[in-house]
DNA sequence: GTTATAATATGGTCAGACCAATTTTAGTTA
DNA sequence: TAACTAAAATTGGTCTGACCATATTATAAC
């Protein structure tokens, strides 16, 4: 088999991770300083520093010059920088992202209705109203559109699902898609949001999913056009 | 405003990232050595090393002792280590993961059938056969079960979707769920796999999704039991 | 008690040295 | 010529000590 000799830095990284977990350290807790780690783990400052830098990159620790080392409030946001580079290197197929988003939203609707979740309709209408106004003012519509979708995911009461959706959303934002430009398209989108809320309120899964599907159709059409043009 | 002074290491990291992108470097391409980077960027070896270590942690570069620095074949696998720590720190609700997996698979089936994808039925039957044998031999059933699910996702011809599903799968594996233990349950699971293949072959979305749903039901029941016990 | 200042602690960067693993080169042999 | 071997060079891994920059803490002045 492959023993694959671990470097000292790797060993230290594992030890530190374990220490965080074993000591049940919470975000923003102060961690040991470089000097203390040198003393405790009996390795050079170089190794400690490289381990800390690594853990910082992974969003596990946060190092403040002059201040010390702290536990980062990791909510998987470190993943964003990875995605960003991945996107800038390989790009991403818009169509694939939209397909994923559709899957997520269809799934979210099903979860909400099947789990018989008590939906905060007010919040939905409130966001949708902001969306409406942003369309009229032609200002930041994407933001409010996005808020709606995120609220939908959050309503599923599945935190893990929400986290992953956020990550995918980051990817989405990187791609900076401006699929809907015309006001009439946006208005149609707004109407569909309203229909979706109603369907959810009535716990009508079929109707909700049909509306979402309809919501996505013009986007796919648009993408197909783009593909054909290029 | 927050100027937030960037450290030299951070600057170097950005420069290196940019260099990879601008030079259109591909995975496994040889990158500049530490010495060359010191020369080119005019900073100390310490800074270069810390930047390289960081980029390695993010799965962007791969440093081989004695060999040199290479572009990593990043397929988002670096995210795994972040998830691992996140899981070990915060844990994860099994129910949430299963809900996500169900969403993914329902979505995959829909994509396959709606996109009218030419399915490699042989591959499905082959994997399912291995699954069958593993059940009989009571050996590594989870592995083959997983293979089936991954093939399903791969068949959607959506690479991004596949990547994300793999990440979620990693999470799944961390949780080390042994939900099906008894041979009869496993056999039922095998039968359902077979039905799913057939439904896909016949492009019968309703049947496929019904079967998947049925496939997940006992798992949710099991989870509910576990929750009630604790 | 508050504020200003000095001292201290802590991380950031640099330089040089030596070790360990890998790759390259040169040499030898079949 | 081709394949193997050994030496040399390259490259990353770790250590030490020094000095700078920033943040926190202690001290002194008001």
């Amino acid at each position: 088999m492959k023993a694959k000799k671990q470097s000292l830095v790797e060993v230290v990284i594992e030890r530190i991770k374990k220490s965080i977990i074993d000591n049940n350290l919470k975000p923003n807790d102060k961690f040991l300083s470089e000097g203390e780690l040198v003393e405790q783990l009996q390795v050079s400052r170089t190794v400690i520093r490289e381990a800390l830098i690594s853990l910082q990159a992974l969003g596990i620790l946060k190092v403040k010059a002059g201040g010390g080392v702290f536990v980062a409030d990791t909510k998987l946001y470190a993943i964003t920088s990875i995605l960003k580079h991945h996107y800038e290197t390989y790009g991403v197929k818009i169509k694939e992202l939209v397909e994923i988003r559709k899957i997520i939203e269809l799934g979210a609707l099903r979860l909400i209705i099947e789990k018989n979740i008590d939906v905060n309709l007010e919040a939905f209408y409130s966001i949708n109203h902001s969306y409406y106004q942003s369309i009229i003012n032609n200002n930041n519509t994407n933001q409010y559109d996005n808020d709606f979708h995120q609220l939908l995911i959050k309503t599923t009461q599945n935190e893990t699902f929400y986290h992953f959706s956020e990550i995918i959303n980051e990817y989405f934002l990187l791609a900076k898609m401006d699929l809907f430009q015309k006001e009439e398209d946006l208005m149609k989108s707004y109407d569909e949001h309203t229909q979706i809320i109603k369907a959810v309120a009535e716990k009508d899964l079929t109707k909700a999913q049909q509306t979402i599907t309809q919501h996505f159709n013009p986007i796919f059409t648009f993408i197909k056009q783009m593909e054909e043009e290029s």
Side-chain angles (χ1 to χ4, degrees), chain A:
Chain A
M1 305 319 225
K2 27 148 81 170
K4 187 189 175 186
K5 190 173 294 176
Q6 262 194 325
S7 72
L8 243 182
V9 174
E10 288 173 313
V11 174
V12 170
I13 288 175
E14 288 310 314
R15 281 229 220 169
I16 292 177
K17 275 189 192 169
K18 191 168 186 307
S19 167
I20 295 171
I21 295 165
D22 291 349
N23 291 93
N24 195 27
L25 295 183
K26 302 295 177 191
N28 298 318
D29 280 358
K30 193 168 171 63
F31 194 62
L32 301 171
S33 70
E34 290 185 359
E36 289 168 327
L37 284 166
V38 167
E39 178 64 27
Q40 187 170 317
L41 300 181
Q42 291 290 306
V43 294
S44 71
R45 193 183 162 208
T46 308
V47 170
I48 295 295
R49 277 191 60 78
E50 293 186 351
L52 292 180
I53 290 254
S54 208
L55 289 166
Q56 185 171 31
L58 293 174
I60 291 171
L61 290 178
K62 177 78 191 155
V63 179
K64 279 198 281 190
V69 182
F70 301 82
V71 177
D73 49 350
T74 166
K75 281 289 178 190
L76 301 181
Y77 294 134
I79 290 175
T80 301
S81 70
I82 297 176
L83 291 183
K84 186 161 180 291
H85 181 77
H86 189 268
Y87 171 70
E88 286 168 347
T89 306
Y90 302 107
V92 67
K93 292 177 182 131
I94 306 292
K95 186 183 171 190
E96 294 190 352
L97 277 183
V98 177
E99 283 180 356
I100 293 173
R101 189 144 180 177
K102 183 174 170 185
I103 289 172
I104 288 176
E105 299 197 357
L106 284 173
L109 288 173
R110 187 177 49 72
L111 273 189
I112 292 170
I113 293 175
E114 280 185 0
K115 287 166 82 174
N116 199 27
I117 288 170
D118 195 23
V119 179
N120 182 353
L121 291 172
E122 259 182 63
F124 273 101
Y125 277 117
S126 168
I127 283 182
N128 207 30
H129 182 63
S130 299
Y131 184 42
Y132 180 81
Q133 292 198 311
S134 75
I135 294 171
I136 290 179
N137 302 329
N138 189 28
N139 174 35
N140 223 5
T141 55
N142 272 338
Q143 177 62 50
Y144 293 104
D145 184 35
N146 208 46
D147 285 350
F148 181 86
H149 292 299
Q150 284 193 242
L151 179 58
L152 194 66
I153 315 299
K154 200 158 203 167
T155 303
T156 62
Q157 297 181 356
N158 181 325
E159 209 180 340
T160 312
F161 183 46
Y162 182 67
H163 283 159
F164 277 110
S165 299
E166 270 198 315
I167 292 171
I168 288 161
N169 225 36
E170 292 278 353
Y171 228 123
F172 225 76
L173 294 176
L174 284 171
K176 282 206 189 77
M177 291 181 279
D178 299 316
L179 297 175
F180 287 117
Q181 301 281 13
K182 287 177 286 186
E183 185 170 315
E184 56 177 279
D185 289 333
L186 290 166
M187 274 303 172
K188 187 156 173 260
S189 172
Y190 162 75
D191 282 339
E192 284 161 351
H193 281 194
T194 310
Q195 284 180 49
I196 291 165
I197 299 174
K198 282 183 185 165
V200 168
E202 296 165 4
K203 300 189 187 304
D204 185 340
L205 179 56
T206 307
K207 184 177 163 194
Q209 293 197 329
Q210 274 177 350
T211 310
I212 278 280
T213 299
Q214 185 180 325
H215 192 56
F216 274 96
N217 280 341
I219 303 179
F220 283 114
T221 305
F222 182 81
I223 290 170
K224 186 178 272 180
Q225 280 179 351
M226 284 203 324
E227 283 177 349
E228 284 168 358
E229 281 173 14
S230 61

